Amino acid sequence: LDPTSPYDVLIAIPATNYMEYSPTTNLYTSRLYFTETHGGVLGANAMQGHNVIFDWEYERVGFAESTCDYTDEHSIEQLDLDKTVEEHQIGGGVHGDDCLLGAPAILTQSCLQSLDGLDACRLPGTNPKNAILEGRQVWTRRVEHPGTAAGMSCEDAALLESDYSGNRPPTIECDGTGVCFESRPCDLPCSDLEKEEKLQLEDPDDADHCPARWSSCDYQCEQTLIVSMKKSDGVCYEMDRYTRPCHKDACGTDDPCRVPYLVHSVVAFKGAMKQLW
């Protein structure tokens, strides 16, 4: 930048590292301060995305851009063998290229709820016990880690992990808000209608709540929390759903215009010796 100082060192800090979003005020606050008594302080915001070396012996600091991809340098065999790969990924230590979906799958729409009418099972003067109604179940999975373009997509991961064994293929959609939906064809015999209706009427206060966690921040810059209860059939049924805006993980990776601040902060070190960095 300054032709008279060819050895100046520049460090580029993306706005996602220093602009902090507050969902309460819906505002962004800069976390770069140059109001200290003796200038500014370069903290964690400046170090993100860089390998930083502190050479105490020669009183110098070195910066280099980092890939931030832990799996490039460490294979699964080097990790704690007492943990599964999923436990490492959920814990935040390792994220691979493949999409990772959370458990359990939650029943968002039962077969009974998908049916427009049940008259076929209740016609007077007939014996409809052998009648079968066709509907669709909708199951929801939480996205723990959206993966990268180089790995398995969330749709493919959901299809691979699906326990559906019917002849008619299901449809899977991941909407970018941290959840994937699997719509499965289902058959409801009229003989099972009474049992299904009793399940729908079970008191939520008498049921156990299934684990609830916020999903990863997906490419639509939203994440989702699903509250569900485990009914007497052992299945987690969705009771409520919440979404909130987010600004990390996959947010903005597919469309840079989604990142609210595109301008980088450039920090210059005047008079630095390039060969020492």
Side-chain angles (χ1 to χ4, degrees):
L1 297 179
D2 185 354
T4 63
S5 302
Y7 298 120
D8 288 353
V9 175
L10 302 180
I11 298 178
I13 307 173
T16 50
N17 286 10
Y18 66 84
M19 296 301 297
E20 181 179 341
Y21 175 72
S22 170
T24 304
T25 62
N26 199 30
L27 297 174
Y28 291 85
T29 302
S30 173
R31 294 307 182 191
L32 286 181
Y33 304 104
F34 296 96
T35 56
E36 302 290 338
T37 305
H38 300 288
V41 175
L42 292 178
N45 293 332
M47 297 180 186
Q48 291 184 62
H50 295 84
N51 293 321
V52 184
I53 304 297
F54 295 89
D55 187 348
W56 300 110
E57 183 178 358
Y58 294 97
E59 298 182 344
R60 57 185 180 176
V61 180
F63 287 84
E65 289 190 16
S66 170
T67 63
C68 293
D69 190 350
Y70 185 82
T71 56
D72 282 349
E73 302 294 336
H74 298 78
S75 65
I76 295 300
E77 288 75 17
Q78 293 173 292
L79 301 176
D80 184 355
L81 298 181
D82 292 331
K83 292 184 178 181
T84 64
V85 174
E86 288 78 11
E87 287 173 329
H88 279 291
Q89 291 174 317
I90 293 174
V94 176
H95 287 315
D97 289 327
D98 293 342
C99 174
L100 176 66
L101 300 176
I106 296 172
L107 185 57
T108 297
Q109 175 182 275
S110 68
C111 199
L112 178 63
Q113 291 171 324
S114 71
L115 299 173
D116 293 332
L118 301 173
D119 293 341
C121 292
R122 295 179 172 135
L123 291 176
T126 62
N127 184 11
K129 292 296 184 181
N130 295 327
I132 296 179
L133 305 180
E134 294 184 353
R136 296 195 76 87
Q137 291 180 330
V138 177
W139 295 80
T140 303
R141 296 284 300 276
R142 182 183 68 254
V143 177
E144 291 278 2
H145 171 57
T148 69
M152 182 184 299
S153 69
C154 291
E155 288 84 356
D156 289 341
L159 183 61
L160 180 66
E161 298 175 12
S162 173
D163 59 0
Y164 176 71
S165 58
N167 295 324
R168 292 169 290 171
T171 58
I172 295 177
E173 177 187 4
C174 303
D175 64 359
T177 64
V179 289
C180 292
F181 305 95
E182 179 183 353
S183 178
R184 305 175 181 176
C186 58
D187 297 326
L188 179 62
C190 289
S191 57
D192 293 342
L193 178 59
E194 184 177 350
K195 180 178 67 175
E196 290 295 318
E197 289 179 325
K198 286 183 177 179
L199 276 173
Q200 297 297 323
L201 296 175
E202 286 185 5
D203 189 349
D205 294 334
D206 297 333
D208 294 329
H209 284 276
C210 300
R213 292 179 55 187
W214 284 100
S215 70
S216 172
C217 184
D218 219 332
Y219 65 85
Q220 291 285 359
C221 296
E222 289 188 352
Q223 54 188 163
T224 301
L225 174 70
I226 298 177
V227 178
S228 60
M229 58 172 281
K230 183 178 291 186
K231 296 193 177 182
S232 57
D233 60 353
V235 174
C236 292
Y237 287 73
E238 179 174 337
M239 303 302 296
D240 212 340
R241 178 180 301 215
Y242 305 91
T243 60
R244 66 184 182 186
C246 54
H247 301 273
K248 58 179 184 176
D249 299 335
C251 177
T253 57
D254 293 336
D255 182 1
C257 293
R258 293 189 183 279
V259 180
Y261 292 90
L262 300 179
V263 179
H264 284 44
S265 172
V266 179
V267 180
F269 294 86
K270 185 176 181 181
M273 301 294 290
K274 184 179 180 181
Q275 64 270 25
L276 297 180
W277 287 70

